[in-house]
Amino acid sequence: MLETAAYIFVFPILSAALVLSFIRLVLGPTLPDRIIALETIAVISVGMIVVFAIATGEGVLIDLASVWAVVSFVSIIAFAYYIERWRGKP
Amino acid sequence: MAGETVILEVFIFVLMILGALFMLVAALGILRMPDVFTRMSCNAKSVTIGLGFLLFAFMLHFRELGVGSRALATIAFIALTIPVASHRIGRSAYLSGVSLWEGTIRDELGEALKGTREGPHKEDAGDEKR
């Protein structure tokens, strides 16, 4: 029951959120807009991994979710560092 | 026992829907807000709350020590790192001279950095139309 409910209700909402943030990633007028959109996409994909783990009953996928969260945080910090060092055209 | 299981599944489902809706609100916010800083502000909070709801539903669904403790550690990590990352992005965006929204009524970082060596490098960003 929970598996069907997740596939019918939760995954379409998360996919709509992914599409909306991808539109901002394409449109974004400056570089920090695109980085914020990338951060949102990374967190939404972590949420999709968690919902997929609930739907399939594979509890091991939480390791993948936590590692993906760590990697996205480090990449965001690196992006911010290089924007701040760049000092020019954002 | 079956009734308790059904109640727990309904509760997990409600938590999952709430988390997904918070993530949809975050995506809608970064699509509709007018500025880098307002986008970042509405993004960080709702994404943190949404992922917290999803991971709490995960903990309630599995109810094992090894898996649930990892989910709890992931919640703590997310709640610690997403505000830090958003603050870094906002500060570097301000210092690299991204223009504010025209309806902004207060710019405290600009007042604090006035006269110092740092500050928004508006003179470098002469070509605003990119």
Side-chain angles (χ1 to χ4, degrees):
Chain A
M1 170 196 146
L2 201 57
E3 178 184 356
T4 316
Y7 282 136
I8 291 178
F9 292 107
V10 184
F11 272 119
I13 299 176
L14 286 177
S15 307
L18 211 56
V19 168
L20 290 180
S21 42
F22 186 75
I23 291 173
R24 176 51 68 193
L25 177 67
V26 174
L27 287 180
T30 61
L31 187 58
D33 288 318
R34 295 193 167 96
I35 293 172
I36 291 167
L38 271 181
E39 183 192 7
T40 312
I41 286 175
V43 178
I44 288 171
S45 58
V46 173
M48 287 183 94
I49 291 171
V50 170
V51 176
F52 186 72
I54 292 175
T56 57
E58 296 280 341
V60 193
L61 290 177
I62 191 65
D63 291 336
L64 181 61
S66 60
V67 168
W68 185 236
V70 172
V71 168
S72 72
F73 171 66
V74 172
S75 70
I76 293 301
I77 291 297
F79 271 128
Y81 178 73
Y82 283 111
I83 290 174
E84 194 166 348
R85 287 290 298 273
W86 193 11
R87 288 297 170 83
K89 303 177 176 58
Chain B
M1 290 301 290
E4 291 178 7
T5 311
V6 168
I7 289 173
L8 192 60
E9 284 199 348
V10 168
F11 192 57
I12 291 168
F13 176 65
V14 168
L15 279 178
M16 275 164 45
I17 288 289
L18 272 180
L21 283 180
F22 268 106
M23 286 193 176
L24 184 65
V25 165
L28 207 60
I30 71 165
L31 187 62
R32 292 293 297 164
M33 282 287 174
D35 194 4
V36 177
F37 307 100
T38 50
R39 272 169 210 152
M40 183 195 65
S41 168
C42 74
N43 180 22
K45 288 124 186 161
S46 50
V47 150
T48 310
I49 295 295
L51 198 55
F53 273 134
L54 288 181
L55 285 166
F56 190 57
F58 183 87
M59 287 170 61
L60 283 184
H61 183 253
F62 282 98
R63 298 192 300 277
E64 297 170 6
L65 183 61
V67 175
S69 60
R70 284 175 203 161
L72 195 62
T74 312
I75 291 177
F77 184 79
I78 286 293
L80 280 178
T81 55
I82 287 181
V84 174
S86 295
H87 174 257
R88 289 298 300 168
I89 294 172
R91 184 177 173 83
S92 58
Y94 188 86
L95 289 181
S96 67
V98 172
S99 59
L100 297 175
W101 181 40
E102 65 264 16
T104 307
I105 60 172
R106 196 169 179 91
D107 184 12
E108 286 187 341
L109 185 57
E111 294 168 4
L113 289 180
K114 190 174 293 180
T116 58
R117 193 175 54 86
E118 299 222 352
H121 289 228
K122 297 285 189 192
E123 68 273 9
D124 294 338
D127 43 351
E128 284 287 331
K129 302 290 182 292
R130 278 178 284 271

